Amino acid sequence: MQRTRFGDLACSIARTLDVIGEPWSPLILRDIYVGINRFEQIQQELDISRKVLTERLKWLVEKEVLQRHAYSERPPRYEYRLTAKGLELCDLLLVMVRWGDRWTAGEAGPPVLYRHHACGQVSHVELHCSVCAEPMRATDVDVLPGPGAAPAVTKA
């Protein structure tokens, strides 16, 4: 099955989805983030087919989200590590966690808690403006064209 490519669209959301927009990629990133970084471990943890996992890992390495590092020469074996680009994608996953904990966790509550290194407290991600530090939600912003916006289409 051929995947739709969104990388050429003038939209940061579409371009991000081009990299991690199918369901396995965020789960693979999550596992690597928490230290499950070898093929066999990831395959077992996710119960994903070897073929799909191979394709996803290859794609994430190609997109420079992950790097392969050899941990055995005979037989050749690799583990996967997050690049700076991949680690920043984990910030996106933390925002997804916040939403999932609020809207899908149910009565049992969140399946995982996150302790903040700076204060030592269990917490969650909150979005703030990078300029004034005020909370920043979808209802608090206007969407304006940026320098990389697609040219406007004019109707004749």
Side-chain angles (χ1 to χ4, degrees):
M1 179 160 111
Q2 188 169 353
R3 206 164 79 83
T4 301
R5 301 280 185 221
F6 296 100
D8 293 332
L9 297 177
C11 173
S12 294
I13 294 170
R15 291 173 182 163
T16 302
L17 288 173
D18 191 57
V19 176
I20 63 159
E22 56 75 48
W24 289 116
S25 291
L27 298 176
I28 292 166
L29 292 177
R30 175 207 63 192
D31 280 3
I32 293 170
Y33 173 70
V34 300
I36 302 168
N37 57 7
R38 295 183 177 177
F39 186 96
E40 298 297 331
Q41 296 171 322
I42 299 166
Q43 197 270 328
Q44 185 177 2
E45 173 71 19
L46 294 177
D47 195 25
I48 183 175
S49 79
R50 296 179 70 80
K51 179 181 185 281
V52 170
L53 180 56
T54 298
E55 290 170 358
R56 293 289 83 220
L57 289 169
K58 181 180 176 188
W59 175 257
L60 292 168
V61 168
E62 182 181 311
K63 292 298 179 181
E64 300 177 344
V65 171
L66 299 176
Q67 290 178 330
R68 283 178 15 140
H69 291 271
Y71 69 88
S72 171
E73 290 183 23
R74 291 189 180 179
R77 297 277 190 254
Y78 298 90
E79 64 183 17
Y80 295 86
R81 297 180 186 167
L82 293 164
T83 62
K85 195 176 187 179
L87 197 53
E88 195 165 324
L89 273 172
C90 290
D91 295 343
L92 173 63
L93 297 182
L94 289 174
V95 174
M96 291 174 68
V97 164
R98 170 76 169 147
W99 186 90
D101 287 352
R102 178 172 179 163
W103 297 103
T104 68
E107 290 183 26
V112 175
L113 300 175
Y114 297 85
R115 183 175 35 240
H116 186 224
H117 290 171
C119 68
Q121 298 298 310
V122 171
S123 188
H124 58 266
V125 169
E126 291 285 339
L127 297 176
H128 292 74
C129 174
S130 64
V131 176
C132 71
E134 287 294 314
M136 189 169 167
R137 303 214 187 281
T139 56
D140 300 324
V141 300
D142 294 320
V143 179
L144 309 171
V153 177
T154 57
K155 294 182 182 180

